[in-house]
C-alpha cells in the first residue's frame, strides 16, 4: 500500500502580512505589520520606533509580489 503523498502547498503558505522600509532619518530597517483588510493602496503616518521621526508610509499590496512600502520623511 502506497502512502498518500500529497503536497501541502495549500496549507503551508507563508504569512504575508508584514513589510519593511528604511527610515529616511536614521537608516534603520523597520518592519511593520500590514493590515491586508485596509485595502491594496494605503497611506498613513507612522513614527519611526528608533528615532521617533514621523514618516508617510505608502503601502501597496500585490498578490504576486507581496506588500511593498515607500517611506517619505514627513
Ligand atoms: Zn528612524
Amino acid at each position: 500500500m502506497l502512502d498518500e503523498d500529497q503536497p501541502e502547498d495549500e496549507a503551508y503558505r507563508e504569512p504575508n502580512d508584514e513589510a519593511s522600509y528604511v527610515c529616511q532619518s536614521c537608516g534603520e530597517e523597520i518592519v511593520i505589520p500590514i493590515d491586508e483588510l485596509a485595502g491594496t493602496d494605503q497611506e498613513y503616518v507612522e513614527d519611526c520606533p528608533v528615532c521617533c521621526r514621523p514618516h508617510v508610509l505608502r503601502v501597496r499590496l500585490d498578490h504576486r509580489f507581496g506588500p511593498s512600502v515607500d517611506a517619505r520623511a514627513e
Side-chain angles (χ1 to χ4, degrees):
M1 181 174 165
L2 292 172
D3 286 333
E4 296 219 2
D5 192 23
Q6 292 182 335
E8 293 182 19
D9 290 343
E10 289 294 320
Y12 187 76
R13 286 199 293 174
E14 289 188 27
N16 206 19
D17 57 357
E18 48 181 45
S20 64
Y21 67 96
V22 175
C23 176
Q24 302 295 300
S25 182
C26 69
E28 288 287 329
E29 185 179 29
I30 312 299
V31 176
I32 56 171
I34 300 295
D35 182 2
E36 295 188 1
L37 298 179
T40 57
D41 196 339
Q42 307 170 28
E43 189 170 282
Y44 54 91
V45 177
E46 185 167 289
D47 293 342
C48 172
V50 178
C51 68
C52 299
R53 297 287 190 95
H55 284 71
V56 179
L57 302 182
R58 180 95 187 265
V59 176
R60 274 172 233 169
L61 300 184
D62 186 288
H63 291 300
R64 271 175 87 167
F65 301 110
S68 63
V69 184
D70 285 329
R72 282 183 286 125
E74 194 182 36

